[in-house]
Amino acid sequence: PPPPPPDSLERLESQVSELRSALKELSAKLEEVREEVRGMSRSHIEYAYAQVGYIPSSLDELRELLSLDGVAIVAGGSVVESSGSVDSSSAGLLDQLGASVLMKASNGVYEYLIRLKDEKVLVISSSKYYDENSINLLKTIIEQYGEYSSR
């Protein structure tokens, strides 16, 4: 094919330049959104744990620190220790379903069932949603608390 006329080539180069400029703007805006999302994803638990940096001395302390409605440690279907309002009757669901973590939501309250070491189950009731990282951090805190409190 014959080469395009000079004015068409200039017009194409101008359009390519405009597209590159628009792509740079979109890329910059996308990076801003990514940074905002990263900032929002920092959970309440991670922040509190990082700020305090110690293992709580009781479940009451943990409940207050993280503004939980309730927290309980269940073993063999019986509550070993608890603080606040929490329904531990569903702790057996983990075994029934073969799961390590379950989350139920009802009327704006989240109930988390988390399998711990030694066949124990952590039951948490909260008005806040916790992501997988926060749940794993809670599990670690409680397991460290269990090791510390058994000494």
Side-chain angles (χ1 to χ4, degrees):
D7 64 331
S8 289
L9 189 58
E10 288 175 13
R11 191 179 48 192
L12 284 174
E13 288 173 347
S14 171
Q15 289 175 340
V16 166
S17 177
E18 287 176 27
L19 285 173
R20 283 188 178 141
S21 177
L23 283 173
K24 284 181 184 177
E25 285 181 45
L26 283 173
S27 180
K29 288 185 184 207
L30 181 59
E31 190 56 37
E32 286 177 29
V33 169
R34 281 186 183 134
E35 288 302 315
E36 282 185 42
V37 168
R38 282 186 196 117
M40 288 187 292
S41 70
R42 182 181 185 103
S43 77
H44 177 71
I45 291 176
E46 291 169 346
Y47 179 76
Y49 187 66
Q51 292 297 310
V52 177
Y54 71 97
I55 300 168
S57 61
S58 68
L59 289 185
D60 289 330
E61 188 175 309
L62 179 71
R63 184 177 54 84
E64 290 175 22
L65 175 68
L66 301 177
S67 302
L68 301 172
D69 297 335
V71 59
I73 298 174
V74 178
S78 301
V79 175
V80 175
E81 187 177 354
S82 70
S83 174
S85 174
V86 64
D87 178 13
S88 60
S89 63
S90 55
L93 284 175
L94 286 176
D95 289 329
Q96 291 174 8
L97 299 173
S100 58
V101 175
L102 287 175
M103 188 266 298
K104 298 187 323 181
S106 178
N107 299 323
V109 176
Y110 297 94
E111 184 178 277
Y112 301 90
L113 306 169
I114 305 163
R115 184 176 311 282
L116 301 172
K117 297 176 185 174
D118 304 327
E119 301 301 314
K120 293 180 182 173
V121 175
L122 173 64
V123 182
I124 295 173
S125 177
S126 176
S127 59
K128 297 180 181 85
Y129 170 80
Y130 294 120
D131 62 11
E132 183 179 356
N133 292 332
S134 298
I135 290 170
N136 287 331
L137 184 57
L138 266 170
K139 178 181 176 183
T140 300
I141 292 170
I142 292 297
E143 286 175 344
Q144 289 176 345
Y145 163 74
E147 290 172 13
Y148 172 79
S149 64
S150 65
R151 293 180 185 173

